[in-house]
Amino acid sequence: MPGRPTVVEHRHPYDEVRRHFETHTVDPLSRLHSMTILAAEQQTMNFYMNVGPTYVPPLARGLYLEIAEIEEQHVTQYESLLDPLDSWFERELLHHYNECYLYWSFMHDEVDPRIRKLWELHLAMEIEHVRVAGELLRRHQGTDPAELLPAKLPAPTRFQENKQYIRTVLAAEIDLTSVGLDFVPLTALPTDARYFKYQAAVNGGIEVPSEAVIDRHVEAFGDDFRLTTEGPHPIPALRSRPHADLEDAADEAEE
Amino acid sequence: MATLTVTKDKGGVSRPEGMTVIEPALVVPLTKLKAIGKQAGLDGVFVADLVSALAMHERHAARVAAAAAEQTARPKRRKVYEKLAQLHAERTGALESLLVKLKLPALYVSPASRAAGNMVGALAQAPLLAGSVDAEGRECMLLDVAFLLAEQSLANTEALTAVAAAATASTTRTTLVKTAKLLAANVALFEKVRALRKASIVQAARKK
Ligand SMILES: [Fe+2]
Ligand SMILES: [Fe+2]
């Protein structure tokens, strides 16, 4: 199911930075989640940037590069949530602590004993990383790692269905963009806003790959590559082919 | 007892400024900060933020001194650094009590306090150059860092004493004066570090 069209996502770098949490008051779980989403975006950015140039067709290369730029925006946005006050030694410790937290969460959720063992093995390795990073923190900064870390692990992260949540978010926020630090409705922007100038500079006067690839798909296969199992798209404007949505739902119901 | 690492779990509270986001329940309202200055004819927000910054300096200094104790190869120096760490920690405690007496949370982290912590953090990075200086140079750096932190503590004590003197008669003034006196009574070690630095430089400069 499509989210915001890629073509409208490119925006001026000034509009990608957010306010950050305060390291002495931040909830441990908020800190961990910020680090996790940052790592996920970093991986995605690296994937598109590294894999894109391995394609020969210009459309594929262009598409990957276009998406890579969006992922760079995501990296910038989420990285800016972290308090710049944290020292390198603190970051190192918190990084491995977050890895522990994630592997421990996965271990809790996993029902297959073989896979569970894998998570457990990785958790054990990360516990050692925490110990080593803690020693560095103690030696070079004089900070007791136990003082910095939460007294116990926060509630585990779970893998669970989030389709309804995504639909709610899309319905409520699809019209938002950002100006400086804040999210604002796109309709609130003046016509000479930085956003439009950036869009014109980046996507103006060219065949934008993310649009071209969908056009090609529709030409070849008759639809635009979507799976909407929970009913039509919550945004009417994104139901580009209303019958296709309904057909998808009907197909799903039959299966 | 002093808290050397402030976190949410331990009771850290703050106030947002520009780029910082703080949970509403953990924001110290400006009215509460202003209140401490009212009777004393002082800018309450500035004074509260200053005391918080002084405490943060001592916290970081205590930790850096402990790190220096861990890293020095000289047993005598190690003793000095350990004593410094203890003194900085005691001063942290005294300044946390001052905040409480001013009817503020002990672990109030002001924007100025964030900056004060960052300043010590930057100083504490100097000894990380260990790979490109010899053992003597490394000892010098550790001592320089400890010395600069001690100098700032000394100067902070004088500044707090002067602020207390500038206040008009009030409970805030009495409280400030008491803490300033307590801190000033125990600065001999800081002065000793200055002398130690001079002596150690002269010794290293002499032909072997
Ligand atoms: Fe992304
Ligand atoms: Fe790790």
Side-chain angles (χ1 to χ4, degrees):
Chain A
M1 188 174 73
R4 250 170 1 118
T6 308
V7 63
V8 303
E9 291 186 23
H10 302 101
R11 56 187 171 212
H12 196 284
Y14 288 179
D15 298 323
E16 290 310 321
V17 174
R18 308 282 163 251
R19 293 176 186 83
H20 59 77
F21 63 66
E22 202 289 315
T23 192
H24 305 96
T25 52
V26 66
D27 190 282
L29 199 50
S30 300
R31 181 200 290 280
L32 298 182
H33 288 341
S34 303
M35 294 173 73
T36 303
I37 186 76
L38 168 59
E41 299 296 351
Q42 179 91 57
Q43 283 277 316
T44 320
M45 181 185 79
N46 289 347
F47 169 75
Y48 283 103
M49 287 192 173
N50 286 317
V51 172
T54 66
Y55 283 102
V56 175
L59 179 58
R61 294 168 78 94
L63 178 67
Y64 270 64
L65 178 63
E66 184 188 348
I67 298 174
E69 286 188 10
I70 301 299
E71 298 308 339
E72 187 281 321
Q73 292 184 181
H74 295 172
V75 172
T76 299
Q77 167 173 283
Y78 290 116
E79 187 166 22
S80 70
L81 301 181
L82 310 181
D83 193 336
L85 212 55
D86 291 327
S87 72
W88 290 106
F89 291 111
E90 287 162 351
R91 278 162 207 233
E92 181 73 12
L93 175 69
L94 292 163
H95 182 92
H96 297 294
Y97 182 79
N98 193 34
E99 290 175 311
C100 281
Y101 167 71
L102 289 173
Y103 287 132
W104 171 77
S105 293
F106 300 161
M107 202 180 85
H108 266 265
D109 241 14
E110 183 54 62
V111 288
D112 182 330
R114 188 175 66 88
I115 307 294
R116 211 183 135 96
K117 274 233 148 44
L118 280 178
W119 295 136
E120 198 180 347
L121 173 67
H122 282 268
L123 171 60
M125 292 192 275
E126 290 308 333
I127 289 173
E128 176 64 2
H129 292 182
V130 164
R131 190 191 65 76
V132 173
E135 280 310 310
L136 287 173
L137 182 69
R138 197 195 308 274
R139 177 170 173 82
H140 294 285
Q141 201 178 294
T143 305
D144 179 353
E147 295 288 302
L148 184 66
L149 297 174
K152 60 182 182 109
L153 282 166
T157 285
R158 317 213 81 99
F159 274 118
Q160 55 194 19
E161 184 168 318
N162 56 9
K163 288 179 184 174
Q164 281 310 330
Y165 172 71
I166 299 286
R167 291 172 71 89
T168 321
V169 172
L170 274 177
E173 301 183 4
I174 195 132
D175 290 332
L176 298 181
T177 186
S178 62
V179 174
L181 303 169
D182 298 303
F183 293 104
V184 297
L186 192 59
T187 49
L189 296 189
T191 48
D192 64 344
R194 191 157 61 201
Y195 170 75
F196 297 117
K197 286 180 190 152
Y198 190 80
Q199 277 279 313
V202 172
N203 289 333
I206 57 161
E207 190 185 35
V208 176
S210 61
E211 294 290 301
V213 80
I214 291 301
D215 290 345
R216 288 268 298 275
H217 196 276
V218 172
E219 252 170 55
F221 302 103
D223 72 17
D224 68 356
F225 195 78
R226 63 175 64 201
L227 183 61
T228 39
T229 58
E230 312 300 298
H233 199 290
I235 310 297
L238 291 180
R239 290 174 204 158
S240 55
R241 304 161 53 76
H243 61 282
D245 272 354
L246 294 174
E247 273 170 22
D248 279 350
D251 288 351
E252 280 290 308
E254 264 171 41
E255 276 163 20
Chain B
M1 224 191 61
T3 302
L4 295 188
T5 307
V6 180
T7 60
K8 180 187 178 185
D9 290 355
K10 302 216 180 70
V13 289
S14 187
R15 74 178 171 88
E17 184 73 66
M19 286 303 286
T20 35
V21 177
I22 292 150
E23 237 177 88
L26 302 182
V27 171
V28 181
L30 281 174
T31 48
K32 212 171 166 181
L33 300 171
K34 276 181 191 149
I36 71 162
K38 258 179 203 156
Q39 308 297 322
L42 296 173
D43 178 338
V45 179
F46 183 86
V47 174
D49 284 13
L50 172 75
V51 174
S52 161
L54 301 187
M56 193 58 87
H57 169 80
E58 299 300 336
R59 269 182 203 114
H60 279 252
R63 278 150 43 183
V64 171
E70 174 95 17
Q71 291 175 52
T72 182
R74 300 180 186 174
K76 266 192 194 162
R77 256 323 133 96
R78 187 187 171 104
K79 284 241 158 60
V80 173
Y81 294 142
E82 280 169 353
K83 276 189 199 153
L84 273 173
Q86 201 190 332
L87 179 55
H88 285 302
E90 282 164 13
R91 291 166 61 91
T92 307
L95 289 158
E96 284 173 1
S97 311
L98 173 58
L99 285 167
V100 173
K101 281 175 203 147
L102 294 173
K103 299 197 168 50
L104 292 172
L107 301 187
Y108 169 55
V109 175
S110 67
S113 168
R114 287 172 51 78
N118 197 33
M119 198 154 80
V120 182
L123 269 182
Q125 289 195 14
L128 296 176
L129 282 179
S132 56
V133 291
D134 61 9
E136 179 66 47
R138 184 169 160 68
E139 290 292 346
C140 279
M141 269 193 291
L142 289 173
L143 184 55
D144 269 2
V145 173
F147 156 75
L148 287 167
L149 296 176
E151 286 291 303
Q152 170 117 21
S153 288
L154 207 52
N156 284 350
T157 308
E158 287 172 12
L160 189 68
T161 305
V163 168
T168 49
S170 56
T171 49
T172 293
R173 183 184 202 272
T174 315
T175 313
L176 288 173
V177 167
K178 263 190 197 159
T179 304
K181 268 192 188 152
L182 182 71
L183 295 179
N186 218 347
V187 293
L189 181 60
F190 294 148
E191 280 151 3
K192 200 179 141 191
V193 172
R194 193 188 293 177
L196 175 64
R197 179 176 181 270
K198 189 162 74 181
S200 100
I201 289 174
V202 171
Q203 200 188 4
R206 281 214 181 99
K207 271 193 189 154
K208 293 201 171 98

